[in-house]
Amino acid sequence: LMLALRAAGTQMGWGFQLQSPWVVGALALMFAVMGLNLSGMFEFGSFVPSSVAGFQWSSPVLNALWSGVFAVVIASPCTAPFMGASLGLAIGLPAWQALPVFGAMGLGMALPFMAVSVNSNWVQRLPRPGAWMVTFRQLMAFPMYATVIWLVWVLGQQVGQDGVAAFLACLLSVSLLLWALNQQGRFGRVVQVLAALCMVASFWHWAPAWTQVDTPSTSSAMPSVTPSSTTTSKALQWEPWSEEKLASARAAGRPVFVDFTAAWCVTCQYVKKTTLSDASVLSAFASKDVLLLRADWTRYDPAITRALNALGRNGVPVYAWYAPGKNATLLSELPSVAEIQNALSQVKTLPSS
């Protein structure tokens, strides 16, 4: 799909599906419904035909294929830290060379399942069916709810607090309908009709607030960061990235550190809260007068996509260090404090005032 979109002239990057608010919202709704089902609030078979509730493709190969597609849609943002260079290379190759790279990635994801299928001894060690399965099913609802929390947070970075409130109103109406569909008798039928009308009204009124692709991202506001160090009192400001800012700073001989990030990238958030918030790192940035730029890829941005491609990458996180008069140096996707400080050692520390 990515290669076809590229051939059509579309600027896309790995994990691009989570740059769309309606995709993020739809995934959050789906995981919420899955969680409610696992919690025992409703059973799919109670209000839809069993043939639909237990739908399977006629071919086991197609079932396996679409299970893999679903897994990649959710997991793709987390693959970039480990396969950033491979993905960047594959996207720039001809299709006949790129497809084997993606095929190897798919094979790697499938290996654990293949291993269990091939070795019957491992299958025999799986626990026997029993009452524990009900408890396990209910327990598995909580990872679903945790995923919903993460997706709603991502949605908030894209459409703001009002958009999140609108989405939660739609989610509430869906939950009400799922509860109503399990009610019996005349009361149940009345409640089901009212709940269905409520859901339709909610989506008609609120859905535009959390699906508009042109809503400015609230994540563009970059708060200042002040290092908690006594060596400097200079406040650091992460500025929104732009090609012009980068070019101007490099022309002036100023060192630049660029954080290519996205709200839906869990690794990005981890590094942001740990390494990039470390007091010694912040102090080193300030002492060497480093311009800090944050390229926020939460929403679709063709300029950031082009910049990533120019660096040989196609996903986030990417950390680019520009020493004065030198080309970009890419740090690892999980940089340590020592790695950043080692890169900054190329620049002399400014004399204290």
Side-chain angles (χ1 to χ4, degrees):
L1 176 61
M2 285 199 63
L3 293 174
L5 291 171
R6 280 300 178 100
T10 306
Q11 286 285 339
M12 288 292 180
W14 194 246
F16 69 92
Q17 69 276 6
L18 293 181
Q19 293 177 331
S20 172
W22 73 265
V23 172
V24 175
L27 288 172
L29 282 171
M30 181 182 66
F31 275 96
V33 170
M34 291 169 60
L36 293 173
N37 173 256
L38 292 172
S39 295
M41 180 179 180
F42 74 97
E43 299 292 341
F44 286 106
S46 63
F47 53 84
V48 296
S50 58
S51 60
V52 176
F55 175 76
Q56 297 283 325
W57 294 96
S58 58
S59 169
V61 175
L62 284 177
N63 286 322
L65 170 65
W66 286 106
S67 296
V69 170
F70 177 74
V72 172
V73 167
I74 300 300
S76 60
C78 300
T79 59
F82 307 100
M83 297 181 291
S86 300
L87 289 170
L89 173 65
I91 292 300
L93 292 174
W96 68 274
Q97 293 179 340
L99 287 175
V101 177
F102 286 109
M105 291 164 52
L107 179 62
M109 293 186 68
L111 277 177
F113 303 96
M114 295 173 63
V116 172
S117 301
V118 170
N119 193 325
S120 59
N121 292 329
W122 292 343
V123 176
Q124 293 173 2
R125 295 188 180 185
L126 294 175
R128 297 179 180 273
W132 66 269
M133 295 175 65
V134 176
T135 302
F136 182 74
R137 168 184 168 171
Q138 295 172 349
L139 179 63
M140 287 297 98
F142 291 97
M144 300 296 105
Y145 297 140
T147 304
V148 173
I149 292 174
W150 169 61
L151 289 170
V152 171
W153 179 79
V154 172
L155 187 66
Q157 304 299 302
Q158 297 174 332
V159 299
Q161 293 183 350
D162 291 343
V164 167
F167 170 79
L168 293 176
C170 293
L171 178 57
L172 179 62
S173 69
V174 170
S175 303
L176 175 63
L177 178 61
L178 292 174
W179 170 81
L181 290 173
N182 284 280
Q183 305 307 306
Q184 304 296 324
R186 183 178 179 181
F187 169 78
R189 290 191 294 272
V190 172
V191 170
Q192 290 166 11
V193 171
L194 293 176
L197 292 174
C198 178
M199 188 187 73
V200 171
S202 295
F203 275 83
W204 178 80
H205 182 72
W206 295 112
W210 58 267
T211 57
Q212 294 296 324
V213 297
D214 57 349
T215 303
S217 174
T218 58
S219 61
S220 60
M222 303 298 176
S224 61
V225 181
T226 306
S228 55
S229 172
T230 57
T231 60
T232 178
S233 60
K234 184 176 181 178
L236 297 176
Q237 179 77 31
W238 284 95
E239 300 182 19
W241 172 93
S242 71
E243 295 175 338
E244 294 75 16
K245 286 183 181 179
L246 177 61
S248 176
R250 296 190 67 191
R254 186 179 180 186
V256 183
F257 185 89
V258 183
D259 173 17
F260 290 90
T261 184
W264 38 263
C265 171
V266 178
T267 307
C268 302
Q269 303 309 314
Y270 171 78
V271 174
K272 187 183 300 183
K273 298 294 184 182
T274 54
T275 304
L276 295 184
S277 296
D278 184 85
S280 61
V281 170
L282 296 174
S283 180
F285 279 144
S287 65
K288 297 176 185 294
D289 192 30
V290 177
L291 175 62
L292 302 178
L293 299 179
R294 182 156 283 157
D296 194 338
W297 211 37
T298 301
R299 301 293 298 273
Y300 174 67
D301 190 327
I304 295 178
T305 305
R306 288 194 300 269
L308 286 170
N309 292 340
L311 294 172
R313 294 293 186 268
N314 197 254
V316 291
V318 172
Y319 304 99
W321 163 245
Y322 297 85
K326 297 183 179 181
N327 294 328
T329 299
L330 298 185
L331 306 183
S332 66
E333 284 77 8
L334 287 170
S336 64
V337 170
E339 182 179 1
I340 293 181
Q341 290 178 334
N342 182 60
L344 295 180
S345 65
Q346 304 174 36
V347 180
K348 295 182 179 180
T349 302
L350 295 179
S352 57
S353 56

